[in-house]
Amino acid sequence: MITRPQKIILLKLLSVISVVRGYAIVLMIAAQLLTAAFILAPQAPLNEVFLSGPLWLVILASSLSIAGGYIINNFYDQEKDLINRPRRSKLDRMLRQQTKLSGYFILNFAAVLAASAVSFSAALFFSGFIFLMWYYSHRLKKIIFVGNLTSAMLSVMPLFILVVYYKSFSSIIVVHACFLLLLLASRELLKDLENLTGDLVQGYKTIPVVYGVTPTKVIGIALIGLTYLPSLILILNYDLNAMRYYFFATMIVLPYGAYLLWRAKEKRDYLVLHALLRLGIIIGVMSIVLLNPERFIQGWF
């Protein structure tokens, strides 16, 4: 039987995972590993890539800085989250604000320290990344359009540190990033629609607050339509191997998502769409192995 002290410790642990969005960090780790192995270092043995100490330092720095970014965002959004997400907010409030701030500074210091062990360029990149995440939470997220674009860009930026690390620019990663950026921008609009009540109360100048729900849906549908451009570029100009089926599938499924967005009326509808979009992003990250499935099988099996 779980004692009360054990229950409190468990709840605080769950609170930490909730505040730092543990699932998002795990997804980013997978995205960085697979991008490194199948896009930026496709000729290197898989075990050499996956067991690379410097690469794991880059991943560690990414994970720590992203966790810090979620903490500072939670710190600034505490009052808004009480309105928009009362259940999750109750769990998040198991951690005191002072504890969150202390954790934020410790995580960022550790992130820069880990990056410094790789290279000066990596340390400089993460210093800028950390500052931009703070400035987004403090200021930029309240600016219409700028907040949405910045949030989407911040979600993609950890992939580009790999370009710095490998000193290898690949055009395919840019097109992939554009596709992901459009999906993330669509997700940000969904979040704005979900959080409309809290944003109104707290005075956030989001797109639904300023222009209304219907124009926001139109913008979201337009962003979904724009995903066809990087999808077609990837399919027609790059050897995607079996991964092309992922892009074929998204080109079939996304119009239905646009239809559901147009028909959405309640917060529950936006939450379902948000979950489906998140699932699509997860499948997309995992499908990177389809760029060379034979190599994956030979490398591990």
Side-chain angles (χ1 to χ4, degrees):
M1 183 176 181
I2 299 177
T3 63
R4 180 173 175 79
Q6 290 174 330
K7 184 178 180 180
I8 292 174
I9 292 173
L10 178 60
L11 286 173
K12 288 192 174 183
L13 178 61
L14 291 173
S15 179
V16 170
I17 295 172
S18 174
V19 169
V20 303
R21 304 294 187 269
Y23 66 86
I25 294 174
V26 171
L27 181 62
M28 181 51 67
I29 291 172
Q32 287 183 309
L33 278 173
L34 296 178
T35 298
F38 291 90
I39 297 178
L40 293 174
Q43 303 305 319
L46 276 184
N47 60 341
E48 182 180 307
V49 176
F50 287 170
L51 299 177
S52 169
L55 175 60
W56 276 103
L57 283 173
V58 170
I59 292 172
L60 176 62
S62 301
S63 301
L64 293 172
S65 57
I66 291 170
Y70 279 121
I71 287 174
I72 199 64
N73 193 59
N74 180 274
F75 179 86
Y76 282 112
D77 280 355
Q78 185 176 28
E79 298 302 320
K80 187 179 79 167
D81 288 342
L82 279 172
I83 301 171
N84 291 323
R85 301 180 179 89
R87 290 184 180 178
R88 195 175 78 185
S89 181
K90 184 178 179 180
L91 179 62
D92 292 351
R93 286 167 69 89
M94 291 290 295
L95 295 177
R96 295 184 298 112
Q97 291 289 75
Q98 185 58 47
T99 302
K100 293 176 185 177
L101 274 182
S102 299
Y104 169 73
F105 288 113
I106 292 171
L107 288 171
N108 286 333
F109 176 77
V112 175
L113 193 64
S116 299
V118 177
S119 69
F120 175 76
S121 298
L124 194 62
F125 177 93
F126 279 104
S127 297
F129 182 50
I130 289 166
F131 172 79
L132 189 56
M133 283 193 291
W134 167 78
Y135 194 57
Y136 161 76
S137 298
H138 176 65
R139 172 67 178 165
L140 295 180
K141 72 181 303 178
K142 297 182 181 180
I143 303 176
I144 192 169
F145 291 110
V146 174
N148 299 77
L149 181 60
T150 305
S151 179
M153 289 177 60
L154 285 171
S155 298
V156 174
M157 277 183 67
L159 294 178
F160 285 96
I161 184 56
L162 297 177
V163 175
V164 176
Y165 171 67
Y166 281 101
K167 298 178 182 178
S168 173
F169 178 80
S170 175
S171 59
I172 191 173
I173 196 174
V174 175
V175 186
H176 271 284
C178 289
F179 174 81
L180 182 58
L181 190 68
L182 289 167
L183 288 184
L184 292 169
S186 303
R187 186 191 67 174
E188 291 304 311
L189 284 180
L190 282 174
K191 287 166 64 177
D192 285 344
L193 288 166
E194 292 172 30
N195 300 333
L196 180 57
T197 302
D199 289 338
L200 278 169
V201 173
Q202 295 297 318
Y204 281 59
K205 300 299 182 182
T206 63
I207 296 173
V209 169
V210 175
Y211 294 104
V213 172
T214 299
T216 304
K217 289 182 178 181
V218 172
I219 295 172
I221 292 170
L223 288 172
I224 291 173
L226 285 173
T227 60
Y228 277 74
L229 182 58
S231 296
L232 288 172
I233 291 173
L234 287 166
I235 291 170
L236 297 175
N237 294 282
Y238 295 94
D239 181 15
L240 299 180
N241 209 326
M243 192 183 182
R244 67 184 183 274
Y245 295 116
Y246 168 74
F247 290 101
F248 284 137
T250 58
M251 293 172 72
I252 295 171
V253 172
L254 283 176
Y256 181 65
Y259 169 75
L260 292 178
L261 174 59
W262 183 253
R263 293 292 303 272
K265 295 180 180 180
E266 300 178 1
K267 182 174 181 177
R268 178 180 58 187
D269 300 327
Y270 300 124
L271 288 171
V272 170
L273 277 170
H274 191 171
L276 291 174
L277 186 56
R278 183 184 298 163
L279 178 62
I281 293 172
I282 292 172
I283 294 173
V285 169
M286 295 299 104
S287 69
I288 293 175
V289 299
L290 298 178
L291 288 169
N292 193 341
E294 295 83 5
R295 179 167 175 258
F296 178 78
I297 295 170
Q298 291 172 2
W300 293 99
F301 302 101

